[in-house]
Amino acid sequence: MSLGTSGGTGGGLLVAGTTSDAGKSVVTAGICRWLVRQGVKVAPFKAQNMSLNSFVTREGAEIGRAQAMQAQAARVEPTALMNPVLLKPGSDRSSQVVLMGKPVGEMSARGYHGGRQAQLLGTVLECLAELRGTYDAVICEGAGSPAEINLRRTDIVNMGIARNARLPVLVVGDIDRGGVFASFFGTVALLSPEDQAFVAGFLVNKFRGDVSLLEPGLDMLKNLTGRRTYGVLPFQHGLGIDEEDGLRVSLRGSVRESEVSSPVGEDILRVAVCAIPLMSNFTDVDALAAEPGVVVRFVDRAEELVDADLVVVPGTRGTVRALEWLRERGLADALARRAAQGRPVLGICGGFQILGEHIEDEVESRAGQVDGLGLLPVRVRFAREKTLTRPVGEALGEPVEGYEIHHGVAQVTGGEPFLDGCRVGEVWGTHWHGSLESDGFRRAFLREVAAAAGRRFVPAADTSFGSLREEQLDRLGDLIEEHADTDALWRLIESGAPTGLPFIPPGAPA
């Protein structure tokens, strides 16, 4: 399979959605995996991402974790070009703006959409052009919905980039939520004639049941809009790929939608993750959830820590705010009791900082001097420059890799060394995200946890988190290959949106 493009510019496609969480990220990853299996050199792209789940590339750039996952689906190394603008919320009204992998300041939503966003369009288009000049195809992901008419004037991630880069648009709808036909029709009908010309058609996601029952509706949708549906993807449990905008579980629900396999030993191991405000990189616990016999749950009440064998305090974009939340809800006292009883606690990044003695923050919260929980001999000072690294090391006799994303600089004054952090008794702390994805280390750590918890839990000897991730990405590629019209998708990527697509009134308001 090869593209018939000219002028050194690869083909492209924008995967938009009727809503947030319609499935844009997984569809983009699935298309990337399908294409690379056909021998196509493909790359993912998202102009602007809002997420607290991020990743550090080898060149030390911070990008959305979803784009790193999509790069893995495409079997290429992730770079800042694939996500030039990343917004990391710090409150309901403001976000840190990360441009080309580096933070450039905090900005209110009004300030960003009021002018700064439009100024970034040139940077975004340059990144996309560079990718299209390097790869046979670039699969772009939109954000939210292209029909957010209040934001269209400054849009650089949906129709703004589609029109500037002349990308065909595939609109994904989550039928499991209901109302997918109205969402498809309404999305097109709220776009201007110029925008509608690039909307090629639709893709139904998360369908349960007999597709033949859906087909009359798809035919009517085509008659109403002049646009076809390119596939109906079935609902599938346990895909477990990295999320972008939110936690796809309810509180007190098992992590993701994964099913817990039977334990190798006699006991299961219960892991409770404190669902602190502005929780970031909660994907760190996915590797624990992948272990047979490990049950991972997100919790927000002190009593839910009582029967946990391990409590994880995860990363956060608001360390001081999260610390206050833990105290208000009684979770701080529960963590202190666990430490005194020799019961395992793991703090990662912001969670590590919370477990320390003292925090000096004039950067993130500007709260100044704040007392931590005092469970680890660590003092933290927030620096204006963000640490973005990919460390490699050893712990518990096993090799470990990870990545660091933090403003807090930790001064460790005691305890046993642990991944550039420390350990005191059964309380562990590190700035390293992703360390639990190192299989040997994860197994050694879980053996320590099980021993301290008095559980006859045995880690599986053959669980490979990397292999499981590859299997999940292949399942996404299978979904596209088996349930989408791949020949028609290829024509879109290669040749752009069909000509002569009808205008659907009323169109965007003047």
Side-chain angles (χ1 to χ4, degrees):
M1 185 180 282
S2 62
L3 284 168
T5 52
S6 60
T9 299
L13 175 70
L14 176 68
V15 178
T18 56
T19 63
S20 294
D21 203 30
K24 297 183 293 292
S25 295
V26 297
V27 168
T28 300
I31 293 174
C32 285
R33 178 50 60 101
W34 160 63
L35 285 173
V36 77
R37 293 195 307 205
Q38 307 306 311
V40 177
K41 187 179 179 184
V42 59
F45 178 78
K46 184 159 186 173
Q48 172 195 292
N49 196 347
M50 177 173 280
S51 179
L52 287 171
N53 284 336
S54 58
F55 182 76
V56 179
T57 67
R58 293 203 181 280
E59 71 266 31
E62 185 179 8
I63 66 172
R65 222 177 125 119
Q67 278 61 65
M69 175 272 296
Q70 291 161 357
Q72 185 177 350
R75 296 177 181 154
V76 296
E77 190 66 32
T79 72
L81 291 172
M82 298 173 184
N83 180 207
V85 182
L86 173 64
L87 305 178
K88 303 194 72 174
S91 70
D92 292 339
R93 294 175 177 267
S94 67
S95 295
Q96 182 181 66
V97 180
V98 179
L99 179 62
M100 295 303 295
K102 304 296 181 183
V104 294
E106 295 280 334
M107 187 166 289
S108 69
R110 180 178 292 274
Y112 183 70
H113 290 288
R116 176 61 167 163
Q117 186 180 35
Q119 295 170 7
L120 296 174
L121 179 60
T123 299
V124 163
L125 291 173
E126 287 171 5
C127 291
L128 177 56
E130 185 170 342
L131 289 174
R132 294 182 78 181
T134 305
Y135 292 89
D136 298 330
V138 179
I139 308 303
C140 308
E141 180 187 346
S145 164
E148 290 168 353
I149 53 179
N150 56 314
L151 303 177
R152 177 61 185 92
R153 182 176 60 84
T154 57
D155 171 53
I156 64 171
V157 66
N158 289 309
M159 301 313 300
I161 193 168
R163 279 177 58 182
N164 276 280
R166 306 196 66 77
L167 294 171
V169 178
L170 182 70
V171 180
V172 178
D174 179 357
I175 197 170
D176 197 48
R177 294 182 174 190
V180 73
F181 292 116
S183 298
F184 282 146
F185 183 87
T187 297
V188 178
L190 278 177
L191 301 178
S192 69
E194 295 80 5
D195 285 350
Q196 287 191 23
F198 289 91
V199 178
F202 314 106
L203 186 75
V204 177
N205 191 29
K206 299 184 184 178
F207 179 71
R208 307 173 192 249
D210 185 346
V211 176
S212 66
L213 299 176
L214 190 66
E215 288 172 352
L218 301 179
D219 291 339
M220 285 186 275
L221 181 67
K222 184 176 181 180
N223 291 335
L224 287 166
T225 66
R227 291 158 174 85
R228 58 165 299 176
T229 297
Y230 284 78
V232 178
L233 308 185
F235 189 100
Q236 287 204 359
H237 288 281
L239 288 174
I241 60 94
D242 296 347
E243 292 298 315
E244 172 188 285
D245 298 320
L247 191 61
R248 208 181 73 210
V249 296
S250 60
L251 273 179
R252 297 175 294 282
S254 295
V255 64
R256 308 298 170 137
E257 297 167 347
S258 57
E259 298 177 2
V260 179
S261 303
S262 299
V264 176
E266 297 179 44
D267 288 342
I268 64 171
L269 209 62
R270 299 173 179 85
V271 179
V273 184
C274 296
I276 55 181
L278 297 173
M279 181 166 46
S280 62
N281 286 66
F282 53 77
T283 49
D284 283 331
V285 299
D286 282 358
L288 295 178
E291 283 285 345
V294 176
V295 181
V296 180
R297 298 171 68 85
F298 288 89
V299 303
D300 63 349
R301 297 193 299 241
E303 57 268 28
E304 294 176 296
L305 304 189
V306 174
D307 67 346
D309 302 308
L310 169 67
V311 174
V312 178
V313 187
T316 174
R317 173 81 168 85
T319 300
V320 171
R321 178 178 168 186
L323 181 57
E324 293 171 349
W325 182 87
L326 289 168
R327 286 180 167 135
E328 290 167 358
R329 302 183 74 91
L331 288 158
D333 290 338
L335 289 168
R337 286 193 295 270
R338 287 187 66 89
Q341 295 164 359
R343 303 178 66 200
V345 176
L346 171 64
I348 302 175
C349 200
F352 168 43
Q353 298 166 6
I354 285 169
L355 298 180
E357 299 171 342
H358 186 79
I359 297 170
E360 182 182 341
D361 181 11
E362 299 292 350
V363 176
E364 191 175 77
S365 68
R366 297 181 177 84
Q369 311 282 341
V370 178
D371 289 332
L373 298 187
L375 306 184
L376 290 174
V378 175
R379 291 177 168 265
V380 176
R381 178 185 56 81
F382 274 68
R384 297 201 175 276
E385 185 175 348
K386 182 182 284 190
T387 297
L388 297 167
T389 63
R390 291 274 292 269
V392 177
E394 182 178 302
L396 303 179
E398 298 287 348
V400 191
E401 295 182 9
Y403 56 99
E404 295 186 47
I405 306 169
H406 54 90
H407 284 279
V409 178
Q411 179 186 5
V412 179
T413 60
E416 301 176 40
F418 174 67
L419 299 179
D420 293 339
C422 67
R423 171 190 183 181
V424 174
E426 297 304 324
V427 181
W428 316 63
T430 177
H431 272 135
W432 290 26
H433 293 291
S435 63
L436 294 167
E437 296 179 17
S438 297
D439 297 324
F441 165 72
R442 182 180 65 255
R443 286 192 279 268
F445 176 70
L446 289 176
R447 282 192 289 268
E448 294 251 356
V449 168
R455 296 288 184 188
R456 289 172 293 183
F457 170 84
V458 179
D462 57 353
T463 302
S464 166
F465 185 76
S467 296
L468 289 173
R469 174 53 53 86
E470 278 297 305
E471 290 174 12
Q472 290 167 335
L473 293 172
D474 275 332
R475 287 173 64 193
L476 292 180
D478 292 343
L479 281 176
I480 298 299
E481 190 167 342
E482 296 169 9
H483 301 281
D485 185 338
T486 52
D487 288 340
L489 274 180
W490 184 250
R491 287 193 295 272
L492 275 187
I493 294 168
E494 185 178 30
S495 304
T499 58
L501 292 169
F503 169 66
I504 308 302

